[in-house]
Amino acid sequence: MKRNPRKLKWTKAFRKAAGKEMVVDSTLQFAARRNVPVRYNRDHVATTLKAMQRVSEIRAKRERVFYKNRMAGNKERERAADRKLVAENEHLLPKMRASERIAAELDQEPMVEDIEEEVPPQRLKKKQKAKQRLLVGGGVEEMDID
């Protein structure tokens, strides 16, 4: 069954048409096939391999920047969607009066301080195990733990 590749979400054509992948970039031209045979030259191969590594680094960096720019407005959109959801379903949220809220805040603060004072200092510290490593010639060496 024939299908239009721009409508199938998993194809490169769709991703480029939808703006999910870079379309115009000079590093993409290096991946094009060249059907011109070249005589083997050791220096030429070495420089080509170095250039390929450098191009892949540049492409990865540009793809990260492209992705960050594409995802830049997501937090604001998610917050707006969350606010809309809360506004639509406000009747499901528990109602609390301002006086009850203030009383609850005042009650919570002293409890936290009391709990911290009641805990003995011996329980806060955990025992640290001495780490050891094996040496190549045989034997064991103790390692310092920061």
Side-chain angles (χ1 to χ4, degrees), residues 28-39:
L28 298 174
Q29 294 174 355
F30 290 109
R33 295 185 86 183
R34 290 167 186 81
N35 294 325
V36 179
V38 178
R39 189 170 187 179

Side-chain angles (χ1 to χ4, degrees), residues 74-84:
N74 274 2
K75 288 185 181 178
E76 290 82 19
R77 276 187 239 123
E78 287 178 5
R79 283 196 184 127
D82 292 343
R83 286 190 184 112
K84 182 181 176 186

Side-chain angles (χ1 to χ4, degrees), residues 53-86:
Q53 289 175 346
R54 181 70 179 134
V55 167
S56 64
E57 291 171 6
I58 293 169
R59 181 183 298 147
K61 185 178 179 182
R62 288 182 182 175
E63 285 176 353
R64 280 194 303 269
V65 170
F66 179 79
Y67 181 79
K68 282 185 179 181
N69 289 340
R70 196 165 64 90
M71 298 294 156
N74 274 2
K75 288 185 181 178
E76 290 82 19
R77 276 187 239 123
E78 287 178 5
R79 283 196 184 127
D82 292 343
R83 286 190 184 112
K84 182 181 176 186
L85 183 68
V86 169

